[in-house]
Amino acid sequence: MKPLMLQGHERAITQIKYNREGDLLFSAAKDSKPNVWWSLNGERLGTFNGHGGVVWCLDVDWQTINLITGGGDSSCRLWDLETGKNIATIKSNSSVRTCNFSYSATQAAYTTDKAMGHPCEVFVIDTRTVDDSISSQTPTLKWEITDSKVTSMVWGILDETLITGHEAGDIIQWDLRTGKKVHSVKEHTHQVHDMQLSRDGTMFITASKDQTAKLFDTASLELLKEYKTERPVNSAALSPILDHVVLGGGQDAMEVTTTSTRQGKFDARFFHLVFEEEFGRIKGHFGPINSLAFHPDGKSYASGGEDGYVRVQSFDQSYFDYTFDYNRE
Amino acid sequence: MAKKKGDEKVNQTPQSDNEEQNFDEEPDFDDPEGFVDDIPDEELLADLLEQKPKESDSYENVVVVDGCPQVGPERLEKLQSVINKIFSKFGKIVNEYYPTSENGNTTGYIFLEYSNPQNAAEAVKATNNCKLDKQHTFLVNLFTDFKKYSDIPKEWEPPAPQPFKVQSDLQWYLMDPDAYDQFLVGIGTGVALQVWQNALPEPLLMQERPNWTETYAAWSPLGTYLATFHWRGVALWAGPKFSQFQKFFHPEARFISFSPCENYVVTFSPTGDRGEDKKLIIWDIRTGQEKRSFPPPDEYVTWPVFRWSKDDRYFARLGQDVLSVYETPSFGLLDKKSIKIPGIRDFSWSPTDNIVAYWVAEDKDVPARVTLLELPNRTEIRSKNLFSVADCKIHWQKSGDYLCVKVDRYSKVKKDKNDIKYSGMYYNFEIFHMREKEIPVDSVEIKEPIQAFAWEPVGSKFAIIHGDTANICISFYQVNTGQAPTLLKKFERQPFNHLFWSPSGQFIVLANLGLTGGALEFLDTNDFTIMNVSDHYQMSGIEWDPTGRFVVTGVSSLKSKIDTGYYIWSFQGKILRRVMKEGFAQFNWRPRPPTLLSEKQQKDIKKNLKKYYSQFETKDRMRSSKASKELVAKRTEQMKKHVEYREQKVLEWNEQKPRRLELRNYMDTDGLEIDGSTTVEEVVEFFVKEEITVIE
């Protein structure tokens, strides 16, 4: 089917996410205004104006009430989704690289970059006490990351842990009662650019600059599967209905001019979750894919690229008909 | 004996474990009564005993100088100073002995001892048979030689035959029942080498060794040996295990060229320190012997310096106004002198006959000239004069049936001092029909610049890429008997800059190499159908396998930083495999010797191809079904494991359900569908499509 092209950003897309129902698609870009779209027809519903620079990350809570964003203007902002109003602006010392609502959405976490003499820090805030009156929110918990900075983050099972992916390739699980490390694994050799949970949250997939994506167990951080490519992987997502994985990435923006678009280096690539075999590619972007998301119904997916476009692609019947040969008992 | 005491102290330690120790007093180092020292000195002091002087040590340092003047005691001192002066040149003389007869005169022979055997050997080499004066000639020998020669047994004993060393089968790679070819992959500059077999359904890694070579590696022309480069020289590897077959000591050797029949190999070390006249060395491959060495070539000579005739009998090199032809196995000049050819610019051997083609540049009123010279009898079998020649290139067809000389000609020439400027260039292809009587010559003229020329290795076609950058054309010509070559086909506006004929002819790959290139076209020249058009971005090289079944395109890490690796294609241009490899630097198919089948046998095979076709088809089907069976088994196993893991996880997940509900205000969000009771119906209008229809 012909994909929907969402044109609304002036610069590279940094992160995209669906809400739980899948009717809305949120996108953040380097142009300071996150957008929200109807996922069905690609019509733009509105923008969230307020950030003063690059927006690195965003997340929407499970009830689609609030949006949290973080950006290069050293602020983490909460928004009211219905009105598009900025509820709270939490100032930090350096760029906010990742932000996520917890499962219950009563809490949220965000991390800052190690820059301008400030360390990389993880903050956990209580979202129920946030309102317009306070510009600076006191975190319920915060701790410093001494080694390589956090580049991606997901919440663990039942809001008890937080999992961070780091620039040097480490993945660390933190206990939120103490702020201490529980597990730490180093399965990647380069930056872990993205991490996304499976629908039930028991597994998550990482996307790394070391040209692989890997599947981990959320509770134990045990490595389950590995998906190899020849390109840095910027984002990876798990299908909510099938044993499928989609990977997106490409050469760094700096080296893009030296790559031919005909080569298919900016394709979204589909792998089988269990067999680790590639079975399909979708062309479209003319720059690396920075973020990918499956629609919660698993019948379409969206990708945001360095080229500034968000593409929403519904799957054809052939995608659902395709099967791998193996003996089913 | 001091040493003995030391031994006893050492022996004390193990003993003391059993005794009660009293640290206040001096420990008792005496042996207990009845102690027998059963540890030999060799065991305890092996390292010291090693250094102990041996009687035989200095034998090798001693030389015996015979033939000295016999002098009385009064002139002994003079003799000593003369001898010292001569023999201390080779090293310090630590000991000397002048035996005297009863009357006090010296006996005419003396003993000199050096501090090491090298000095002694050098002295013998340099002074033996040297004349001191008219009457006296030194006869110098090593002292040990006397023993050696005096011990010669009276009866001659035939030397014991050496045990026969089984030479591993050097041609093993040709014995593969499926005739799979092998190839070499080099990673980085000497980081690693891999040898693969291009098996079906996927290639098999036969051998991988890190640091196998320090720079690159090369196959010998028939594929028997693999040559690697090391700081000490060149090594050859062969046999099923790629064991070392031969090594040639030539420090910092950088270049290598084999003779066509693999009897000899030439190594060239531009910077090595084996001496100025040992820059180029020719070796015998079987024995490893150095056959002849040469000083470095003149700068303008391109590698290979020595070019071999097809049967290894002759090799030739280009010099200033001469062509030097050498013969094997004597390695001397043919007829003891070089062939004088004033103005010779380049030459090339026929691939199938002992014929050399060379060309001579224009000089004043003398035209340029291309000559075919038969060796060893030096008869000029054909020559052709050419006018207004700027440059020539000699291209032999691989089967030796034709020779093409590409002649760059000018219509105007301007000479400023040392600089010669040509203008109004046009190009001629002079085609020599080698197999016809009197060797007739045809000529094809093209007015445009020529980018590339290539003969069909088997057959009578040739291809040319010509034209200026805006309109590059590719033309195919057919050479005919008794008439001028005919143009078969011309493709205009092509992006290609290189031609790669299949080694068995008929098929050709047109390619655009380089950083901006990547275009590929697979062409069948029988009817000029384009079998496939594809690309391999930034590819830097193309290699046909020796049978003409596969083509490999590669991006070398020496040329490009990203996407280095190689693709394997079928000859029709079907992509078979993409291998991305960081640091990929080199790819070479292992060559094959020419087929042993006669032309008639080959024809028969071609005729009955249908018969064999079905056999191969069945084999392929079986192979692929076996592979898919293995794959299915592997997947089934993986799926089984995964399902087990998921079952466990789902169980845990279900147990956690109450706590999840607690976190989300007792709303069940586990399912995909949205709970009807908690959702509010909302009507949303979507703007789907806008169409403007003009109604007339």
Side-chain angles (χ1 to χ4, degrees):
Chain A
M1 217 181 107
K2 230 182 136 208
L4 296 172
M5 295 264 286
L6 314 191
Q7 270 171 278
H9 288 287
E10 289 160 10
R11 291 196 56 201
I13 308 296
T14 53
Q15 194 166 31
I16 58 169
K17 264 178 193 169
Y18 282 99
N19 64 346
R20 188 174 58 86
E21 286 88 353
D23 57 337
L24 298 180
L25 177 63
F26 298 87
S27 62
K30 291 186 180 172
D31 63 4
S32 83
K33 285 178 194 161
N35 285 2
V36 55
W37 318 76
W38 288 115
S39 65
L40 192 67
N41 64 350
E43 191 186 331
R44 184 156 71 173
L45 202 58
T47 59
F48 300 91
N49 302 352
H51 270 290
V54 181
V55 182
W56 288 120
C57 52
L58 55 69
D59 196 22
V60 56
D61 70 24
W62 65 280
Q63 288 171 297
T64 322
I65 296 170
N66 289 330
L67 182 75
I68 187 169
T69 58
D73 59 351
S74 307
S75 72
C76 179
R77 290 165 195 258
L78 274 160
W79 311 79
D80 178 51
L81 272 176
E82 202 170 351
T83 59
K85 252 180 69 186
N86 190 356
I87 314 170
T89 305
I90 307 159
K91 280 274 166 207
S92 59
N93 290 324
S94 55
S95 292
V96 178
R97 181 62 57 170
T98 67
C99 60
N100 282 88
F101 279 112
S102 73
Y103 181 78
S104 65
T106 55
Q107 300 181 83
Y110 65 94
T111 69
T112 60
D113 275 1
K114 180 183 177 179
M116 300 176 285
H118 299 287
C120 168
E121 283 177 303
V122 180
F123 298 85
V124 179
I125 54 170
D126 190 331
T127 54
R128 289 166 297 191
T129 59
V130 168
D131 65 52
D132 214 3
S133 60
I134 40 167
S135 62
S136 175
Q137 167 79 9
T138 14
T140 52
L141 189 67
K142 84 166 197 183
W143 67 92
E144 210 174 281
I145 308 279
T146 45
D147 30 345
S148 78
K149 76 171 187 193
V150 176
T151 49
S152 53
M153 174 175 67
V154 287
W155 282 78
I157 293 165
L158 298 171
D159 293 358
E160 284 167 353
T161 56
L162 198 65
I163 300 164
T164 53
H166 294 254
E167 197 170 26
D170 317 55
I171 295 164
I172 302 172
Q173 191 184 60
W174 308 88
D175 188 327
L176 283 177
R177 285 163 297 198
T178 58
K180 294 263 156 52
K181 270 184 206 179
V182 190
H183 292 296
S184 170
V185 290
K186 184 157 175 135
E187 297 285 356
H188 285 293
T189 54
H190 289 79
Q191 180 181 336
V192 181
H193 194 268
D194 185 33
M195 300 201 289
Q196 293 193 29
L197 291 169
S198 64
R199 195 172 65 85
D200 60 9
T202 56
M203 303 184 290
F204 67 95
I205 189 164
T206 58
S208 168
K209 296 273 185 210
D210 68 6
Q211 316 193 339
T212 63
K214 290 181 181 178
L215 187 71
F216 291 90
D217 182 84
T218 315
S220 65
L221 297 193
E222 186 196 343
L223 176 67
L224 301 172
K225 296 284 170 190
E226 179 177 359
Y227 313 95
K228 284 186 197 160
T229 73
E230 319 75 52
R231 281 284 177 278
V233 184
N234 289 338
S235 188
L238 294 159
S239 165
I241 52 167
L242 295 168
D243 283 334
H244 290 173
V245 168
V246 61
L247 268 53
Q251 215 65 43
D252 272 346
M254 281 169 69
E255 290 168 57
V256 163
T257 48
T258 63
T259 316
S260 150
T261 49
R262 273 196 298 170
Q263 285 286 300
K265 300 305 182 192
F266 307 130
D267 298 357
R269 301 168 69 162
F270 287 80
F271 284 76
H272 193 276
L273 178 91
V274 182
F275 309 137
E276 305 170 344
E277 288 172 57
E278 187 179 343
F279 65 92
R281 293 185 183 196
I282 294 182
K283 279 190 210 294
H285 285 284
F286 46 90
I289 292 172
N290 286 339
S291 186
L292 282 168
F294 261 105
H295 190 282
D297 68 6
K299 289 173 184 158
S300 65
Y301 86 102
S303 56
E306 190 71 24
D307 56 10
Y309 290 105
V310 176
R311 298 173 72 92
V312 181
Q313 176 86 56
S314 300
F315 297 118
D316 294 330
Q317 192 52 44
S318 60
Y319 166 82
F320 301 101
D321 292 345
Y322 185 81
T323 51
F324 282 82
D325 282 344
Y326 69 97
N327 297 329
R328 298 170 176 83
E329 278 111 293
Chain B
M1 283 173 65
K3 206 175 92 193
K4 201 68 198 165
K5 261 185 196 163
D7 285 356
E8 286 157 11
K9 268 184 200 167
V10 176
N11 286 335
Q12 195 67 33
T13 350
Q15 294 275 329
S16 61
D17 288 347
N18 307 331
E19 291 169 20
E20 273 188 38
Q21 291 191 5
N22 188 349
F23 289 105
D24 297 338
E25 283 174 33
E26 176 91 351
D28 182 9
F29 288 119
D30 285 344
D31 285 340
E33 254 175 68
F35 171 76
V36 182
D37 184 0
D38 56 350
I39 302 173
D41 283 0
E42 283 76 17
E43 198 172 307
L44 290 165
L45 301 162
D47 49 336
L48 277 178
L49 284 174
E50 193 101 311
Q51 294 167 17
K52 185 179 161 185
K54 278 179 263 177
E55 238 178 276
S56 62
D57 264 6
S58 54
Y59 279 1
E60 291 164 354
N61 302 356
V62 177
V63 296
V64 184
V65 184
D66 203 354
C68 297
Q70 298 183 2
V71 294
E74 67 286 352
R75 292 182 62 205
L76 179 61
E77 208 172 306
K78 182 129 193 264
L79 176 66
Q80 278 176 338
S81 75
V82 170
I83 294 290
N84 260 328
K85 204 174 151 193
I86 296 169
F87 285 91
S88 55
K89 277 190 282 194
F90 311 105
K92 197 168 170 255
I93 296 169
V94 294
N95 205 353
E96 54 182 26
Y97 176 54
Y98 293 76
T100 50
S101 57
E102 288 115 32
N103 56 17
N105 285 355
T106 58
T107 49
Y109 57 90
I110 51 174
F111 299 90
L112 300 173
E113 185 182 344
Y114 287 96
S115 55
N116 61 54
Q118 285 84 16
N119 290 350
E122 217 173 305
V124 170
K125 203 177 153 197
T127 58
N128 193 22
N129 286 325
C130 260
K131 270 194 174 167
L132 177 66
D133 52 40
K134 268 185 188 162
Q135 280 89 38
H136 299 97
T137 303
F138 288 134
L139 295 167
V140 189
N141 282 297
L142 281 173
F143 185 71
T144 45
D145 286 351
F146 282 91
K147 197 165 163 359
K148 197 165 90 192
Y149 295 128
S150 63
D151 282 357
I152 293 173
K154 291 242 161 58
E155 294 281 316
W156 180 76
E157 267 179 48
Q162 293 286 319
F164 174 68
K165 263 195 243 162
V166 181
Q167 171 65 57
S168 56
D169 180 10
L170 298 181
Q171 262 73 43
W172 65 283
Y173 61 98
L174 300 171
M175 303 303 285
D176 187 87
D178 289 309
Y180 294 140
D181 277 295
Q182 296 186 3
F183 58 85
L184 167 78
V185 174
I187 318 279
T189 314
V191 176
L193 284 182
Q194 300 171 332
V195 178
W196 293 79
Q197 187 178 45
N198 190 27
L200 289 170
E202 45 186 63
L204 272 176
L205 184 61
M206 316 280 297
Q207 197 73 232
E208 175 168 16
R209 294 184 202 170
N211 310 321
W212 199 348
T213 179
E214 282 167 28
T215 48
Y216 62 102
W219 293 109
S220 61
L222 304 180
T224 316
Y225 311 104
L226 178 67
T228 57
F229 294 83
H230 309 272
W231 68 272
R232 288 177 59 80
V234 172
L236 295 187
W237 310 80
K241 294 203 169 66
F242 288 94
S243 38
Q244 196 174 71
F245 180 79
Q246 202 63 264
K247 50 189 177 184
F248 307 114
F249 174 65
H250 200 189
E252 291 175 48
R254 287 285 166 269
F255 300 93
I256 191 170
S257 73
F258 287 89
S259 69
C261 304
E262 296 185 341
N263 290 319
Y264 308 103
V265 65
V266 187
T267 57
F268 176 32
S269 162
T271 51
D273 55 4
R274 276 201 69 185
E276 215 25 43
D277 55 352
K278 296 234 180 209
K279 294 285 186 198
L280 276 163
I281 302 179
I282 305 181
W283 311 83
D284 186 306
I285 292 180
R286 294 273 152 69
T287 62
Q289 263 178 346
E290 190 179 314
K291 284 302 199 185
R292 190 164 174 183
S293 58
F294 293 89
D298 298 322
E299 268 172 30
Y300 61 87
V301 176
T302 50
W303 186 259
V305 176
F306 295 107
R307 295 170 207 174
W308 294 83
S309 69
K310 51 102 192 177
D311 53 3
D312 278 13
R313 281 189 58 194
Y314 308 101
F315 59 98
R317 75 186 289 187
L318 191 65
Q320 189 80 49
D321 295 332
V322 289
L323 180 66
S324 308
V325 182
Y326 302 82
E327 58 184 345
T328 59
S330 73
F331 286 85
L333 275 170
L334 181 67
D335 302 338
K336 304 221 163 41
K337 55 180 187 283
S338 298
I339 306 168
K340 268 221 162 70
I341 307 169
I344 182 169
R345 293 283 293 275
D346 201 6
F347 76 100
S348 180
W349 286 92
S350 158
T352 51
D353 303 276
N354 280 342
I355 296 171
V356 162
Y358 66 82
W359 77 280
V360 175
E362 271 177 355
D363 187 29
K364 285 177 198 138
D365 304 326
V366 186
R369 197 172 148 90
V370 175
T371 310
L372 295 174
L373 189 69
E374 197 172 50
L375 287 166
N377 50 18
R378 301 188 179 193
T379 23
E380 282 190 15
I381 51 173
R382 185 73 163 89
S383 73
K384 185 162 197 236
N385 288 344
L386 300 162
F387 299 91
S388 323
V389 175
D391 198 9
C392 281
K393 283 267 166 343
I394 302 168
H395 300 274
W396 282 97
Q397 189 227 21
K398 211 158 155 239
S399 331
D401 299 343
Y402 305 101
L403 166 71
C404 170
V405 180
K406 182 196 140 210
V407 188
D408 298 7
R409 303 179 66 182
Y410 57 87
S411 32
K412 269 183 207 150
V413 65
K414 208 168 129 189
K415 285 184 184 165
D416 315 333
K417 290 170 204 162
N418 303 323
D419 217 27
I420 304 170
K421 272 186 192 155
Y422 298 110
S423 55
M425 299 299 287
Y426 59 103
Y427 304 86
N428 267 26
F429 293 94
E430 306 289 335
I431 315 283
F432 292 71
H433 296 247
M434 298 301 295
R435 301 282 181 245
E436 288 169 45
K437 216 176 147 193
E438 305 272 293
I439 311 183
V441 181
D442 285 320
S443 188
V444 176
E445 186 175 308
I446 284 179
K447 295 276 186 205
E448 297 159 329
I450 308 294
Q451 314 277 346
F453 170 92
W455 278 108
E456 185 180 14
V458 186
S460 53
K461 288 193 273 276
F462 63 89
I464 307 168
I465 302 183
H466 57 96
D468 40 38
T469 42
N471 182 17
I472 299 276
C473 303
I474 299 171
S475 298
F476 290 88
Y477 286 87
Q478 166 94 43
V479 181
N480 306 302
T481 316
Q483 54 171 323
T486 43
L487 180 66
L488 293 173
K489 185 87 182 172
K490 185 174 174 184
F491 294 98
E492 294 204 28
R493 295 191 185 280
Q494 296 291 313
F496 308 110
N497 55 13
H498 283 81
L499 300 162
F500 297 93
W501 281 97
S502 157
S504 49
Q506 186 178 351
F507 303 103
I508 189 168
V509 174
L510 312 174
N512 183 11
L513 302 188
L515 282 181
T516 53
L520 272 174
E521 197 169 286
F522 296 80
L523 197 68
D524 180 347
T525 60
N526 263 9
D527 48 6
F528 292 97
T529 42
I530 297 165
M531 296 185 292
N532 195 18
V533 178
S534 190
D535 71 344
H536 185 181
Y537 188 62
Q538 294 192 333
M539 67 183 162
S540 51
I542 291 187
E543 284 259 339
W544 275 91
D545 86 316
T547 58
R549 291 176 293 178
F550 302 99
V551 182
V552 163
T553 60
V555 177
S556 161
S557 61
L558 308 174
K559 295 280 167 66
S560 171
K561 286 282 155 289
I562 53 164
D563 294 334
T564 54
Y566 55 93
Y567 293 180
I568 304 178
W569 312 73
S570 76
F571 72 97
Q572 298 116 320
K574 194 178 138 210
I575 181 86
L576 301 175
R577 182 159 290 271
R578 293 187 174 93
V579 183
M580 309 306 281
K581 189 99 205 158
E582 208 171 305
F584 168 74
Q586 189 187 0
F587 186 102
N588 291 100
W589 288 98
R590 186 172 201 162
R592 278 171 178 273
T595 176
L596 296 173
L597 299 175
S598 68
E599 242 170 73
K600 190 177 167 291
Q601 284 171 308
Q602 290 183 51
K603 248 184 204 149
D604 282 350
I605 292 172
K606 268 189 190 159
K607 222 163 80 192
N608 297 323
L609 206 58
K610 280 226 173 82
K611 199 173 82 196
Y612 304 116
Y613 186 77
S614 60
Q615 289 175 18
F616 288 123
E617 195 84 316
T618 345
K619 211 168 175 182
D620 276 351
R621 246 201 319 274
M622 270 167 61
R623 204 185 282 120
S624 70
S625 80
K626 184 176 163 237
S628 66
K629 241 181 234 158
E630 280 169 13
L631 187 66
V632 165
K634 189 182 144 210
R635 283 177 181 166
T636 310
E637 180 60 31
Q638 282 179 321
M639 194 44 114
K640 213 177 112 202
K641 252 178 88 182
H642 185 72
V643 166
E644 275 168 26
Y645 163 80
R646 288 301 301 164
E647 273 168 2
Q648 175 66 29
K649 281 287 150 187
V650 168
L651 217 67
E652 282 174 29
W653 190 64
N654 288 337
E655 276 168 22
Q656 289 162 348
K657 179 140 188 163
R659 296 184 55 201
R660 268 203 303 281
L661 285 171
E662 201 180 313
L663 284 170
R664 285 193 171 173
N665 304 333
Y666 301 99
M667 215 184 278
D668 189 358
T669 54
D670 285 353
L672 266 181
E673 57 292 321
I674 294 136
D675 190 358
S677 61
T678 53
T679 45
V680 185
E681 192 99 356
E682 195 184 339
V683 179
V684 183
E685 272 183 32
F686 286 113
F687 178 70
V688 179
K689 207 175 172 188
E690 186 179 47
E691 254 180 66
I692 299 168
T693 320
V694 184
I695 303 160
E696 287 179 31

